[in-house]
Amino acid sequence: MVELDSGFVGLRGDTGEELWTYTVPGVDEIHTEVSSDGTRAAVRYTDDEGEPVAVLLDTSTGSIVLEDAHWDGDSRLPGAELQIRRHYDEDGFSVEAADLDDGRTAWRQEEPVACSEGPSRQVRGTYHVDAVVLLAYCAEDVSEEAMYSAGQQATHLLAALDPGSGRELWCYEVSVDDTQGYFPESRLTQYGDTLVVKLPGVPEQLLFDTATGDLLEEVPGHVLDVTAEAYLARMGTIEDPVFELRGFDGQVLHTIPTDPGDAVAVVDEDLLGVRVERGPDGDTIDVEVTPWQGGDGALVETGLVVESADRGEPGRLLRVPGAVLLYPSVDSSTGDDGIEHIVALQ
């Protein structure tokens, strides 16, 4: 699925064939959301009469499965039936689950999750079909100003709630002497059923099974992708990075040395990797295909030319069924009329 300013278009990953389109032309602002399991997409806008309209789509066909969805345009969709609403105040945020069909509240978080000791502030969350995972920051001072400051001893708590009932499924707590400031280091990233967590003051990235809370791996690098059997991580230094494909037992399966700024994607866990090659503006943005087992890479000419591509980010790679997508980010100075280009590689 490709998100547009006016809706969505569904494409086959291996051929680019347009399977379906759902757009609402002539509307100033459209809110969209895709469920974590990939089965549903929500679209919300205001019609000519000033009335809010929300529909729920089947992502495989683009057909409307719910014409009058009770989606507020900001909630997150863990699955096909529920939405997770977020409520913000000066003390952080809390969540509640509501039915998409009638808007009925299924459960509400009465108290934010809290660490075993000290004041706490619920600061971040990720929303998966198996679990709503919330991150709490706990310290002597949990004001937003203090969280930007380095040197405060703090505890971080991950707590997973059942999306259907709100009951706690699992929690993970870690304390560090020097948080280095909460922002902007903390990250929660979902790859399928695996949650990748980066916490301030913790040098490793932590990989969890989202449903069970099992700690799968502690990675001393930056995780870029996770498959069912392995994960891709950028190791080494900024000046001398190395991309490694690792199993969940920590064993390095394959290695590709790269230059700073390169982008790499997992194409086949036993075959090859891909990185972007970009020249001056107006030149084609090509890719170099490199066997994981070693040997010379083969340059693939994509024919993709983008005058306004961001020089700081030559291109990004996304693994989809049947293809790898290459899409350079548009230079922000081009304004809202900039067009992103996508090329699918076999």
Side-chain angles (χ1 to χ4, degrees):
M1 286 177 54
V2 179
E3 186 176 359
L4 309 173
D5 289 339
S6 58
F8 290 103
V9 59
L11 308 174
R12 278 187 61 99
D14 54 353
T15 66
E17 175 191 357
E18 185 174 313
L19 301 176
W20 59 267
T21 301
Y22 183 91
T23 58
V24 188
V27 175
D28 292 335
E29 186 176 15
I30 289 183
H31 300 272
T32 58
E33 171 76 1
V34 180
S35 64
S36 70
D37 60 4
T39 63
R40 297 290 185 265
V43 178
R44 187 179 190 272
Y45 60 95
T46 301
D47 63 17
D48 295 336
E49 305 297 325
E51 295 295 326
V53 178
V55 299
L56 196 66
L57 308 176
D58 183 322
T59 57
S60 62
T61 63
S63 60
I64 297 176
V65 295
L66 191 57
E67 291 189 358
D68 186 20
H70 286 74
W71 183 59
D72 63 8
D74 182 61
S75 300
R76 297 295 181 256
L77 307 182
E81 298 178 353
L82 287 175
Q83 60 183 311
I84 303 297
R85 294 172 174 160
R86 299 166 294 170
H87 304 284
Y88 296 89
D89 58 29
E90 65 275 6
D91 297 322
F93 80 106
S94 60
V95 298
E96 69 176 22
D99 193 284
L100 284 165
D101 189 9
D102 57 17
R104 178 184 57 84
T105 299
W107 56 266
R108 179 180 290 108
Q109 190 180 29
E110 300 297 337
E111 295 290 340
V113 297
C115 304
S116 55
E117 296 182 2
S120 64
R121 181 186 179 99
Q122 199 165 284
V123 292
R124 190 156 295 181
T126 185
Y127 312 92
H128 187 267
V129 65
D130 291 328
V132 174
V133 183
L134 304 172
L135 174 63
Y137 173 91
C138 309
E140 183 177 340
D141 186 352
V142 295
S143 66
E144 190 167 331
E145 294 78 11
M147 292 168 63
Y148 278 98
S149 302
Q152 181 175 224
Q153 183 175 358
T155 297
H156 305 285
L157 174 75
L158 288 171
L161 309 181
D162 186 321
S165 66
R167 69 180 179 87
E168 186 174 293
L169 298 174
W170 57 267
C171 65
Y172 179 88
E173 189 169 323
V174 58
S175 180
V176 293
D177 292 333
D178 184 357
T179 69
Q180 302 173 9
Y182 173 76
F183 295 103
E185 287 298 318
S186 178
R187 291 190 299 273
L188 303 178
T189 308
Q190 194 76 46
Y191 295 96
D193 296 331
T194 302
L195 177 66
V196 179
V197 180
K198 176 66 177 73
L199 297 175
V202 179
E204 297 83 14
Q205 290 197 346
L206 309 178
L207 273 63
F208 292 91
D209 183 300
T210 304
T212 66
D214 292 339
L215 181 59
L216 305 175
E217 193 69 31
E218 300 180 44
V219 184
H222 181 59
V223 177
L224 301 170
D225 196 2
V226 181
T227 71
E229 304 295 335
Y231 60 89
L232 176 68
R234 185 176 65 241
M235 313 295 284
T237 64
I238 296 177
E239 296 79 15
D240 189 22
V242 176
F243 289 88
E244 293 181 352
L245 188 66
R246 293 184 166 207
F248 286 109
D249 57 358
Q251 180 182 357
V252 178
L253 306 176
H254 302 295
T255 301
I256 296 180
T258 63
D259 297 325
D262 283 344
V264 173
V266 180
V267 180
D268 187 308
E269 294 174 3
D270 298 317
L271 183 59
L272 49 82
V274 177
R275 73 177 186 179
V276 174
E277 291 284 322
R278 173 164 171 77
D281 287 340
D283 283 2
T284 58
I285 301 176
D286 299 322
V287 298
E288 183 179 348
V289 178
T290 305
W292 282 113
Q293 292 85 350
D296 295 332
L299 193 66
V300 178
E301 297 182 358
T302 67
L304 175 58
V305 178
V306 183
E307 295 285 353
S308 61
D310 189 338
R311 294 294 300 164
E313 190 172 3
R316 290 169 287 175
L317 298 164
L318 177 65
R319 176 172 50 88
V320 300
V324 171
L325 302 183
L326 163 65
Y327 58 110
S329 58
V330 174
D331 192 326
S332 59
S333 64
T334 60
D336 294 337
D337 293 333
I339 298 175
E340 292 213 36
H341 301 252
I342 301 174
V343 168
L345 308 174
Q346 185 177 23

